[in-house]
Amino acid sequence: MLVYTIRRVLAMIPLLVAVATVTFFLMHTVEGGPFDADKPLSEATRKNLEAKYGLDDSLPVQYVNYIKNLARLDLGISFANDREVRDIIGERMQVSLQLGLAAFAFATVFGLALGMFSSLNQNGMFDYLGVFLATAGAALPSFVLAPLLTIAFAVKFGWFNVLSSDYDLWQWFRLDFSNWRQMVLPTVALGFLPMAYVARITRASMLEVLRQDYIRTARAKGLRERRVVFRHAMKNAMIPVLTVLGPIFAGLITGSFIIETAFVIPGLGREFVRAVLIRDYGLLMGVMVFYAGVIAMMNLVVDLAYAVADPRIRY
Amino acid sequence: MAANSTVAQPFDFLREDLQTKQRGLWEQAFRRLVRNRLAIVSLCVLLLITVTALLADFIPAVAHHPADAQDYGSLEKSPSADFWLGTDGLGRDLWARLLEGTLFSLKIGILAQVVILSIGITVGMLAALGGRWSDTLLMWFTDLAYAFPDLLAIILFRQILLGREWPVIGDGNPQIPGFPGVLLVTILAISFVSWVTVSRLVRGQMLSIKETDYVTAARAIGASPLRVVAVHMLPNTLGAIIVAVTFGIPLAIFAEAALGFIGLGVPPPAASLGTLISDGLDHIQTNPIEILWPSITVATLMLCFTFLGDGLRDALDPRTRK
């Protein structure tokens, strides 16, 4: 397993280099650069700026330098605000991660609960409610849900805040949840679709498992229903759920830009969109490689968790 | 016809089996689809929406007002007999805007599938039938494509394609009436990111069909490779492709709407469902009903395409049939 893990981590390197390469050359086909503004810069200023950031080198030289820096985990410089991309990602990621973790927890907890209730109550009231919520969730993208939630709960009832900017990942680890009022709506809007997905998979997987012979055996030998469900059924039913949690987390992190735009949250996704608009390709490439890294890591985590959860799988 | 009463006759099951076998594969699938009420209702709703949006494009009376006519006397009006869904911040009729936006989103969803299919099927076929090297290359390419975050890659592609002079389509501003360049650019951006799923699907199907007895039989009686692929293999991948397309349309609509929502949609005065939602968000305090219409439309479209896709999958793929 250790060997497998190391091999997989090493295999990520060429993939990330490929992502960086594709992004690099794609960005350099774009006409215009980060120093194009409504008011054009003087020729000398532009020359100086380009020299400062190495943009006057030939393309191959720029590329080699970029990859070299990447090997040192240096993601380059954001031309628009003259800062290390690494620092910007670190700063903005805190915000995105706080939101992403909250949405992930929401999606997992409620999705599992909904799916379990549905499956234990097949074709009953709870089941129809669960299936209805899971179906509605699949049809309500975050950008549809966000305004609706805002109208209902922030404008009409005033239960929650929107548009405040108190984001600090570490405060939650200090058990300080004082910003919960502003977090509820973005969390629900972002987490609703994955929640529906988790609920659907949990329900299907539980129904499958509950039909198995060993569950009948467990019941036949007189175990309490609670023990049958949580000990015997749930353990096996969780395996398919486990495999989608990784992609869901990666999707929450990379897809948060919609919610960040809707609620004006200063996260990494919004920074990426801004970078696209002002052609800040230093930042853009850095964020793209970073996101690709996140996705690859999550896939690895899922595969490893899979092997831990299911002893039949060996690497 | 007493024999057909409720009393079960011996060999009834066999007779039924024989009768089913006389129908063709597609007819069977069609019958299974028709029996799925949810899928049929979804199909009808989708047809209704499409026809209404198309009619409005050709017959101005359906839209009641021109989509870009601004009436400064009636800004942000509630629904009335004149403005069926109300007006927006510039006094434009929301019903006309909604129809225009829906048509645009449908165009994106459907046309993107055309591009995705033509790239996906070609590459998938080449990978499955072109030998080891082309297969390795394609699988490597798919891994690479999956390594990118989808929506962000679409945004990146869109920005790269936009804002420059292209042959025929121009620079993204409307050049061909009813077919702005930005439509094509968005379609291409979505397609470049999404074709890998189809090509993987086609490759997998082709690889398994290649090993079946009927392909061996066709080869044995001397059918040319082209004929084997075109007559025996491609039609058998069609079921899976149709399902993939049905699930692909709402994904493309979703992607475009997400782009429109964050301000990367069609330039005004054109409208898409995404830009309409984004407009509605701007007026959420003063006229909250404005955002409701495009939101409901997006939700309905996605829901109906999902139900239809589920129905088609159950009808076309005998393995998952209950």
Side-chain angles (χ1 to χ4, degrees):
Chain A
M1 185 112 148
L2 185 69
V3 177
Y4 174 77
T5 313
I6 294 172
R7 210 171 56 218
R8 281 286 301 271
V9 172
L10 287 181
M12 267 161 60
I13 294 173
L15 192 68
L16 291 184
V17 170
V19 168
T21 309
V22 170
T23 319
F24 180 89
F25 285 107
L26 280 180
M27 280 322 291
H28 281 81
T29 61
V30 175
E31 281 167 28
F35 309 121
D36 289 343
D38 292 337
K39 192 176 160 218
L41 298 172
S42 74
E43 195 61 21
T45 322
R46 171 187 291 275
K47 280 258 162 57
N48 279 334
L49 276 171
E50 286 184 346
K52 182 180 172 198
Y53 295 120
L55 291 176
D56 51 354
D57 290 333
S58 68
L59 204 57
V61 174
Q62 281 190 47
Y63 173 68
V64 170
N65 282 336
Y66 184 67
I67 297 294
K68 264 192 204 158
N69 288 337
L70 211 57
R72 293 198 305 259
L73 292 181
D74 177 1
L75 291 173
I77 287 173
S78 159
F79 312 126
N81 30 16
D82 193 27
R83 287 180 60 195
E84 288 268 343
V85 171
R86 219 169 21 185
D87 296 344
I88 297 181
I89 291 180
E91 184 185 301
R92 301 288 176 165
M93 196 52 201
Q94 278 195 21
V95 177
S96 289
L97 206 56
Q98 193 176 22
L99 182 63
L101 283 174
F104 185 67
F106 170 80
T108 318
V109 172
F110 283 87
L112 277 178
L114 210 62
M116 295 282 288
F117 273 129
S118 285
S119 64
L120 294 177
N121 188 350
Q122 196 187 358
N123 296 329
M125 268 290 286
F126 249 129
D127 192 25
Y128 284 122
L129 185 74
V131 171
F132 172 76
L133 272 179
T135 315
L140 287 174
S142 51
F143 53 83
V144 170
L145 206 53
L148 299 184
L149 288 175
T150 311
I151 298 180
F153 295 110
V155 180
K156 267 244 151 60
F157 297 128
W159 292 347
F160 306 114
N161 297 345
V162 286
L163 307 181
S164 50
S165 52
D166 170 23
Y167 296 97
D168 174 14
L169 178 60
W170 307 115
Q171 76 186 56
W172 284 7
F173 291 99
R174 295 192 303 267
L175 297 179
D176 169 14
F177 294 102
S178 55
N179 67 345
W180 70 274
R181 268 174 183 281
Q182 74 185 41
M183 290 300 289
V184 171
L185 293 184
T187 301
V188 174
L190 185 59
F192 204 74
L193 210 137
M195 184 214 65
Y197 192 40
V198 171
R200 248 193 338 262
I201 289 176
T202 310
R203 178 175 180 273
S205 159
M206 275 298 281
L207 286 179
E208 181 83 34
V209 170
L210 284 173
R211 237 180 276 146
Q212 308 252 321
D213 286 341
Y214 76 90
I215 295 296
R216 197 188 310 153
T217 312
R219 282 191 179 133
K221 68 184 184 186
L223 289 184
R224 262 172 300 154
E225 185 64 17
R226 199 179 342 145
R227 197 171 168 85
V228 174
V229 169
F230 286 104
R231 244 317 151 80
H232 293 94
M234 204 176 153
K235 257 190 179 173
N236 273 339
M238 283 306 95
I239 292 175
V241 181
L242 206 62
T243 55
V244 299
L245 287 186
I248 282 180
F249 185 73
L252 285 175
I253 294 297
T254 60
S256 64
F257 69 92
I258 300 171
I259 284 302
E260 286 172 1
T261 310
F263 289 100
V264 202
I265 296 169
L268 189 58
R270 221 164 65 100
E271 198 65 18
F272 179 89
V273 174
R274 207 179 56 87
V276 169
L277 291 178
I278 59 172
R279 296 189 207 91
D280 183 351
Y281 29 77
L283 183 57
L284 225 147
M285 285 187 289
V287 177
M288 206 51 137
V289 173
F290 173 76
Y291 275 151
V294 171
I295 293 176
M297 279 302 279
M298 287 328 290
N299 286 337
L300 175 60
V301 168
V302 165
D303 286 351
L304 293 181
Y306 205 42
V308 173
D310 188 348
R312 283 170 301 186
I313 293 170
R314 299 238 167 277
Y315 294 120
Chain B
M1 298 300 274
N4 278 351
S5 65
T6 48
V7 182
Q9 297 295 310
F11 303 115
D12 249 3
F13 66 97
L14 196 66
R15 201 172 299 148
E16 204 169 287
D17 201 35
L18 283 173
Q19 277 173 357
T20 341
K21 273 193 186 129
Q22 284 164 357
R23 292 192 205 117
L25 183 75
W26 292 105
E27 200 187 330
Q28 277 190 49
F30 181 71
R31 277 166 183 272
R32 278 197 292 270
L33 184 67
V34 171
R35 234 175 285 150
N36 188 333
R37 237 180 300 156
L38 201 55
I40 289 303
V41 171
S42 304
L43 183 64
C44 294
V45 172
L46 286 175
L47 283 177
L48 186 72
I49 293 176
T50 315
V51 168
T52 317
L54 270 176
L55 275 182
D57 202 31
F58 290 110
I59 309 167
V62 176
H64 205 53
H65 289 274
D68 51 359
Q70 305 180 357
D71 180 353
Y72 293 108
S74 43
L75 302 181
E76 297 188 21
K77 278 274 160 27
S78 301
S80 63
D82 194 18
F83 300 105
W84 295 339
L85 300 183
T87 57
D88 69 0
L90 294 172
R92 292 176 292 193
D93 180 37
L94 282 177
W95 167 245
R97 301 266 297 157
L98 183 69
L99 288 177
E100 194 193 352
T102 309
L103 186 64
F104 188 86
S105 290
L106 282 171
K107 273 185 199 163
I108 293 259
I110 293 164
L111 292 175
Q113 298 310 310
V114 176
V115 182
I116 290 171
L117 279 189
S118 28
I119 308 178
I121 293 181
T122 316
V123 178
M125 256 168 52
L126 284 179
L129 310 171
R132 199 153 49 92
W133 275 107
S134 58
D135 197 25
T136 317
L137 197 67
L138 170 84
M139 284 341 273
W140 191 81
F141 218 86
T142 4
D143 283 345
L144 181 61
Y146 276 128
F148 281 94
D150 292 358
L151 280 176
L152 298 180
I154 292 176
I155 294 177
L156 191 65
F157 270 121
R158 182 185 179 278
Q159 290 312 104
I160 289 167
L161 293 171
L162 212 64
R164 58 168 73 196
E165 283 294 326
W166 291 96
V168 187
I169 63 169
D171 60 355
N173 296 319
Q175 307 245 326
I176 310 166
F179 200 86
V182 70
L183 173 74
L184 198 65
V185 163
T186 315
I187 288 171
L188 286 180
I190 293 173
S191 309
F192 282 160
V193 176
S194 315
W195 63 269
V196 274
T197 316
V198 172
S199 71
R200 265 202 173 176
L201 181 81
V202 171
R203 170 184 174 271
Q205 292 270 320
M206 285 277 183
L207 282 180
S208 68
I209 291 174
K210 203 161 70 167
E211 304 301 323
T212 52
D213 288 339
Y214 64 83
V215 168
T216 319
R219 282 223 195 104
I221 60 170
S224 68
L226 199 70
R227 189 183 156 80
V228 172
V229 171
V231 177
H232 298 286
M233 294 179 71
L234 258 185
N236 280 300
T237 60
L238 214 56
I241 290 175
I242 290 175
V243 175
V245 165
T246 317
F247 284 122
I249 294 175
L251 281 182
I253 290 177
F254 165 79
E256 190 281 327
L259 256 57
F261 180 74
I262 60 167
L264 297 173
V266 276
S272 82
L273 288 176
T275 56
L276 287 178
I277 294 180
S278 150
D279 283 353
L281 190 64
D282 292 341
H283 303 118
I284 198 164
Q285 298 272 9
T286 48
N287 190 15
I289 206 164
E290 184 184 339
I291 199 168
L292 222 51
W293 311 122
S295 300
I296 293 172
T297 313
V298 168
T300 312
L301 284 178
M302 292 191 65
L303 205 60
C304 287
F305 273 115
T306 313
F307 284 148
L308 184 62
D310 281 339
L312 281 171
R313 191 183 48 201
D314 290 345
L316 287 169
D317 190 353
R319 270 162 302 183
T320 60
R321 210 193 318 159
K322 285 161 213 150

